[in-house]
Amino acid sequence: MLKQLQKNIIAEIEKASELDELDKIYKRYLGRNGELTLFFRSLKDLPEEERKIKGRLANEIKEKIKNALEEKSKKLQDSKKEDLTSSTEGKLKKEWFDITAPGEKFKLGHLHPLTLIKREIIDIFQHMGFSPVEGPEIEDEWHNFDALNIQKDHPARDALSLGKTLYLKEEIPVKQKTKGKLLLRTHTSSVQIRYMEKNNPPFKIIAVGKIFRAEATDASHEINFYQVEGLMVDENVSVSNFKAIIQEFFKRFFKKPVKIRLRPSYFPFTEPSFEVDISCIVCQGKGCSVCKNTGWVEIMGAGMVHPYVFNSVKLNPKFWNGFAFGIGMDRLTMMKYKINDIRLFYSGDLRFLNQF
Ligand code: FA5
């Protein structure tokens, strides 16, 4: 019976996987009221011979159980230590990083091609002595039309997009005093008026800004696009001054001489007036959808400031004269980058935009 008990206890010890299980086994068999302890106590009631034999056997068993418990306890403690080190190692491996490695590059946005060109144009003109100025995109009829000699019933108002003007609803509140109906400016020439109302010549200014026209779109026409307005007023300004300035501008902008041509034209606010074309850079003048197969692209309107305009802003036309021009900035950008459709600028297509 003692041998069987020993077998059972040793098996239990073998099976134990936690240290406190060993504790429990010890208490159950060798504790104060443990099974083996009670057996020892009962020995005294046995006859001497039997007590000696069973006593020896019980001591042997007790020793074996103690050894087995000790051995197992050591084993469990060792394996716990191993676990601990291996999990710390794992953790360290996972969390390790090389502080000397170069940082990961994250994607930065970039400027829109029209913004790049706007900055470049301003830079070139500034180097030629022109100051950049701005005006509002929401205009009134006075600054956009009347002060520029575009009378209400004048056919030029039609030519200059009366049918293309986007008017604002009357109830829109505005802080400043307005003269006439509110509209989205149809050209940047309104900035000429605003500047001359407040400043005395001589001056050389440019105004780059967005303008709006309700027109049918195609490869070279958009409903909103950018214009670069230029104005130089002094005592003795002539058409040749204009030609020299604009030729120099194109040379600096395209970084090579560009063929231009001046065509007589009509604008109510300039006299004489002309339209300036440049040889189509997209097709090298051979003909394409951008130049409508003519080899030339109309890039700007220009002329000598009309005396009516000087009178509108209370400057004496007998004393002052000057030239003004309005460049289509989108078309200029198309020439520079050989873009064959103006609508790409406003498409939001990243395949297009990411090329700049
Ligand atoms: C004007 O807007 C005049 N204010 C220009 C001017 C200023 C003349 C100062 C005299 C003195 P025009 O409507 O032609 O003119 O437009 C000027 C330029 O804008 C054109 O030469 C063309 O390059 C560009 N443009 C005109 N319409 C469009 C359009 N729908 N889409 C893209 N560009 C356009």
Side-chain angles (χ1 to χ4, degrees):
M1 173 225 154
L2 274 176
K3 285 271 175 199
Q4 186 57 44
L5 187 64
Q6 176 194 337
K7 239 183 166 181
N8 292 347
I9 298 171
I10 298 288
E12 270 185 60
I13 293 171
E14 288 293 302
K15 248 172 68 190
S17 57
E18 293 291 335
L19 283 168
D20 56 346
E21 276 179 59
L22 296 182
D23 250 13
K24 281 179 193 155
I25 294 171
Y26 181 87
K27 276 183 193 151
R28 193 153 58 241
Y29 300 104
L30 297 173
R32 230 155 34 104
N33 293 315
E35 237 173 274
L36 213 55
T37 314
L38 293 178
F39 178 77
F40 275 110
R41 273 188 214 141
S42 68
L43 283 177
K44 65 178 186 325
D45 303 327
L46 297 176
E48 198 181 341
E49 249 338 273
E50 199 182 345
R51 191 170 66 220
K52 269 187 186 166
I53 296 168
K54 286 200 173 165
R56 202 180 306 124
L57 189 62
N59 268 327
E60 275 172 26
I61 290 172
K62 186 178 170 182
E63 213 45 39
K64 277 187 184 155
I65 292 170
K66 269 188 170 176
N67 287 342
L69 278 170
E70 239 167 66
E71 231 172 75
K72 182 74 184 189
S73 152
K74 208 168 159 271
K75 248 193 208 165
L76 286 178
Q77 274 173 9
D78 285 351
S79 77
K80 250 216 170 116
K81 260 189 222 158
E82 241 170 56
D83 276 1
L84 203 68
T85 44
S86 67
S87 76
T88 317
E89 253 170 38
K91 230 181 186 181
L92 282 177
K93 245 183 210 165
K94 237 199 231 162
E95 287 176 4
W96 184 87
F97 69 93
D98 182 1
I99 52 164
T100 64
E104 247 178 57
K105 272 193 183 161
F106 51 91
K107 266 195 178 174
L108 275 183
H110 57 86
L111 295 176
H112 191 279
L114 290 174
T115 310
L116 291 170
I117 291 297
K118 176 180 168 176
R119 290 184 179 184
E120 195 177 333
I121 290 173
I122 290 176
D123 192 54
I124 295 174
F125 275 113
Q126 268 186 311
H127 278 93
M128 294 198 286
F130 286 75
S131 308
V133 300
E134 285 187 356
E137 287 177 1
I138 294 180
E139 260 305 355
D140 56 31
E141 283 180 303
W142 162 259
H143 292 92
N144 197 78
F145 293 130
D146 303 332
L148 287 160
N149 195 24
I150 308 167
Q151 306 294 319
K152 288 211 171 18
D153 54 354
H154 199 293
R157 201 179 262 221
D158 207 26
L160 230 158
S161 318
L162 176 67
K164 299 173 182 172
T165 306
L166 294 156
Y167 285 92
L168 269 68
K169 284 186 177 165
E170 305 255 318
E171 57 263 28
I172 289 179
V174 275
K175 279 192 193 134
Q176 86 236 34
K177 246 184 151 178
T178 61
K179 291 182 180 172
K181 280 194 270 183
L182 286 178
L183 48 88
L184 293 178
R185 68 179 174 195
T186 58
H187 55 176
T188 42
S189 298
S190 52
V191 189
Q192 285 185 37
I193 303 300
R194 288 201 176 266
Y195 190 81
M196 287 195 282
E197 277 175 339
K198 293 203 176 118
N199 296 277
N200 285 318
F203 44 67
K204 282 153 88 180
I205 54 155
I206 51 155
V208 185
K210 204 179 244 185
I211 68 143
F212 308 84
R213 293 179 188 178
E215 61 182 325
T217 60
D218 61 26
S220 55
H221 289 82
E222 252 298 356
I223 50 168
N224 59 254
F225 56 99
Y226 284 84
Q227 281 190 342
V228 182
E229 192 78 12
L231 175 70
M232 174 176 176
V233 178
D234 208 326
E235 287 173 43
N236 278 309
V237 182
S238 68
V239 176
S240 54
N241 291 135
F242 165 71
K243 262 194 91 175
I245 292 276
I246 213 63
Q247 238 156 6
E248 183 60 25
F249 165 74
F250 282 133
K251 202 169 110 194
R252 292 189 191 188
F253 183 75
F254 289 109
K255 303 200 169 52
K256 60 178 183 195
V258 174
K259 261 207 271 178
I260 64 170
R261 70 177 186 191
L262 263 64
R263 280 182 291 117
S265 186
Y266 173 72
F267 294 103
F269 38 93
T270 47
E271 180 56 38
S273 304
F274 19 84
E275 219 113 36
V276 182
D277 300 339
I278 62 169
S279 171
C280 183
I281 290 168
V282 175
C283 63
Q284 312 293 343
K286 286 185 198 117
C288 66
S289 62
V290 177
C291 62
K292 303 212 165 68
N293 294 316
T294 62
W296 293 95
V297 177
E298 179 206 312
I299 217 83
M300 66 199 289
M304 301 305 290
V305 180
H306 198 292
Y308 183 97
V309 176
F310 282 131
N311 283 325
S312 302
V313 293
K314 302 190 171 54
L315 290 178
N316 188 347
K318 288 206 175 92
F319 199 72
W320 300 111
N321 67 350
F323 66 75
F325 60 84
I327 309 175
M329 196 182 86
D330 302 54
R331 291 192 188 167
L332 201 63
T333 312
M334 289 165 79
M335 293 296 111
K336 175 119 173 169
Y337 292 131
K338 297 192 171 63
I339 295 164
N340 62 7
D341 199 316
I342 193 171
R343 291 164 292 196
L344 283 167
F345 290 128
Y346 307 94
S347 64
D349 188 337
L350 290 178
R351 288 169 307 175
F352 168 71
L353 294 174
N354 283 338
Q355 295 175 55
F356 299 92

